[in-house]
Coordinates of all heavy atoms in Angstrom, one line a residue:
A18 N 136.9 67.4 130.1 CA 136.1 67.2 131.3 C 135.6 65.8 131.4 O 135.6 65.2 132.5 CB 134.9 68.2 131.3
V23 N 136.4 60.2 133.7 CA 136.6 58.7 133.5 C 137.9 58.3 134.2 O 138.0 57.3 134.9 CB 136.7 58.4 132.0 CG1 137.2 57.0 131.8 CG2 135.3 58.6 131.4
K35 N 142.9 54.2 127.8 CA 141.5 54.1 127.4 C 141.3 54.1 125.9 O 142.2 54.6 125.2 CB 140.6 55.2 128.0 CG 140.8 55.5 129.4 CD 140.3 54.5 130.4 CE 140.4 55.0 131.8 NZ 140.2 53.9 132.7
Y55 N 146.4 73.4 116.1 CA 147.7 73.2 115.5 C 147.8 73.5 114.1 O 146.8 73.2 113.3 CB 148.1 71.7 115.8 CG 148.1 71.4 117.3 CD1 147.0 70.7 117.8 CD2 149.1 71.8 118.1 CE1 147.0 70.4 119.1 CE2 149.1 71.5 119.5 CZ 148.0 70.8 120.0 OH 147.9 70.6 121.3
Q59 N 156.2 75.4 107.6 CA 157.5 75.0 106.9 C 158.7 75.6 107.6 O 158.6 76.8 108.0 CB 157.5 75.4 105.4 CG 156.5 74.7 104.6 CD 156.6 75.1 103.1 OE1 156.2 76.3 102.9 NE2 157.0 74.3 102.2
A64 N 161.6 75.4 102.2 CA 160.9 76.4 101.4 C 160.3 75.9 100.1 O 159.3 76.4 99.6 CB 161.8 77.7 101.2
N65 N 161.0 74.9 99.5 CA 160.5 74.4 98.2 C 159.7 73.1 98.4 O 159.3 72.5 97.4 CB 161.7 74.1 97.3 CG 162.4 75.4 96.9 OD1 161.8 76.4 96.7 ND2 163.7 75.4 96.8
G101 N 129.9 58.6 121.9 CA 131.3 58.0 122.1 C 131.3 57.3 123.4 O 130.6 57.7 124.4
E106 N 140.9 49.6 128.7 CA 141.4 48.4 128.0 C 141.4 47.2 128.9 O 141.3 46.1 128.4 CB 142.8 48.7 127.5 CG 142.9 49.7 126.4 CD 144.3 50.0 125.9 OE1 145.2 49.3 126.3 OE2 144.4 50.9 125.1
E107 N 141.6 47.4 130.2 CA 141.8 46.2 131.1 C 140.5 45.8 131.7 O 140.4 44.9 132.5 CB 142.8 46.5 132.2 CG 144.2 46.7 131.7 CD 145.2 47.1 132.8 OE1 144.8 47.1 134.0 OE2 146.4 47.3 132.4
P131 N 129.4 28.8 95.7 CA 130.5 28.0 95.2 C 131.7 28.9 94.8 O 131.5 30.0 94.2 CB 130.0 27.3 94.0 CG 128.5 27.3 94.2 CD 128.2 28.5 94.9
F143 N 131.7 33.5 114.1 CA 132.2 33.5 115.5 C 131.6 34.7 116.2 O 131.9 35.9 115.9 CB 133.7 33.7 115.5 CG 134.4 33.7 116.8 CD1 134.6 32.5 117.5 CD2 134.9 34.8 117.4 CE1 135.2 32.4 118.7 CE2 135.5 34.8 118.6 CZ 135.7 33.6 119.3
G151 N 134.4 46.6 134.6 CA 134.9 47.7 135.4 C 134.2 49.0 134.8 O 134.9 49.9 134.4
E152 N 132.9 49.0 134.9 CA 132.2 50.1 134.3 C 132.5 51.5 134.9 O 132.4 52.5 134.3 CB 130.7 49.9 134.3 CG 130.0 50.0 135.7 CD 129.7 51.4 136.1 OE1 129.5 52.3 135.3 OE2 129.5 51.6 137.3
K160 N 126.0 63.8 122.5 CA 125.4 65.1 122.2 C 123.9 65.0 122.6 O 123.2 64.1 122.1 CB 125.5 65.4 120.7 CG 125.0 66.8 120.4 CD 125.3 67.1 118.9 CE 125.0 68.5 118.5 NZ 125.5 68.7 117.1
A162 N 120.0 66.4 123.0 CA 119.1 67.0 122.0 C 119.0 68.5 122.2 O 119.4 69.3 122.7 CB 117.7 66.4 122.1

Side-chain angles (χ1 to χ4, degrees):
V23 171
K35 311 289 184 192
Y55 302 100
Q59 288 179 297
N65 295 324
E106 292 181 6
E107 294 180 4
F143 183 75
E152 69 86 20
K160 185 174 188 175

